[in-house]
Amino acid sequence: ATTYFVSPSGNDLSSGTALYPWKTLSYACSKTISGDIIYMRPGTYTDINVPRLPSGVSIEGEGQVILHQISIVLEGLGGSQRISNIKFDGNDIEPFSSIIIDGRHDVVINNCTFTNFKAGNRYYATEQYEYAIELRNTYDIEIRNNTIEAGIRSFYNNNNLNIHHNVIGKPL
């Protein structure tokens, strides 16, 4: 397993090391394999491409890491990964989801913040992609210790979802 680094001041032509980090999460996702960790340095990130996180690859944030209007997609068979210490900023656009998990298992989302979702905290939305987190065809998913100023959508055959110790809903 290798730890790769991403920084807002990085360069996707670099090697992804601590001294020469990549710039975008989507590029890091395209270069990592199962067992690797993507370590995100503090700062605000934007990305014109959708980061598709490979099975078995985890993302860890250091300090204040803000993903501005970025959706991370985890799809296809596999799992055994985590996303931790990241702030997802929905930028008040609609529809938008920060994390979409489809077909994965053993995924942990821990100590993240989901904020500025235009749709807010909905029990039911008329369209998909109006929630902070969307789950489809998953099992053994744990969502813990997060602040989620939007909803979580579970549809299409999800099993053993462990959602606990979160603050869910927009502040009054």
Side-chain angles (χ1 to χ4, degrees):
T2 303
T3 299
Y4 292 100
F5 294 81
V6 179
S7 170
S9 61
N11 185 327
D12 284 344
L13 298 177
S14 295
S15 57
T17 64
L19 289 176
Y20 302 102
W22 292 318
K23 183 173 181 65
T24 62
L25 182 57
S26 63
Y27 188 81
C29 288
S30 74
K31 297 298 179 185
T32 51
I33 60 171
S34 184
D36 290 344
I37 297 172
I38 299 170
Y39 192 79
M40 300 191 73
R41 295 265 172 80
T44 300
Y45 294 81
T46 59
D47 203 328
I48 60 170
N49 298 305
V50 175
R52 298 187 177 279
L53 191 63
S55 175
V57 175
S58 293
I59 301 172
E60 295 284 337
E62 171 195 1
Q64 182 79 355
V65 174
I66 301 169
L67 300 186
H68 185 73
Q69 199 177 322
I70 295 176
S71 293
I72 299 174
V73 176
L74 295 76
E75 64 185 345
L77 299 177
S80 300
Q81 57 202 133
R82 64 186 299 130
I83 298 173
S84 299
N85 305 315
I86 304 289
K87 181 176 182 178
F88 295 88
D89 184 345
N91 196 32
D92 284 325
I93 64 165
E94 188 176 19
F96 178 75
S97 293
S98 286
I99 299 176
I100 300 168
I101 305 172
D102 188 352
R104 295 281 173 91
H105 62 86
D106 299 297
V107 176
V108 176
I109 301 170
N110 179 55
N111 200 32
C112 293
T113 300
F114 300 82
T115 189
N116 295 324
F117 285 78
K118 188 171 185 177
N121 187 19
R122 293 190 176 183
Y123 292 104
Y124 177 78
T126 56
E127 296 182 34
Q128 57 187 5
Y129 309 120
E130 292 188 0
Y131 299 86
I133 303 167
E134 292 207 18
L135 306 165
R136 308 174 196 149
N137 305 302
T138 66
Y139 63 94
D140 297 337
I141 305 296
E142 185 173 12
I143 301 171
R144 66 174 186 233
N145 303 320
N146 301 288
T147 300
I148 305 170
E149 295 178 6
I152 298 171
R153 185 179 194 194
S154 168
F155 65 115
Y156 300 142
N157 195 29
N158 294 295
N159 294 293
N160 197 24
L161 303 179
N162 189 355
I163 302 170
H164 63 93
H165 294 92
N166 297 287
V167 175
I168 299 177
K170 288 190 178 244
L172 298 175

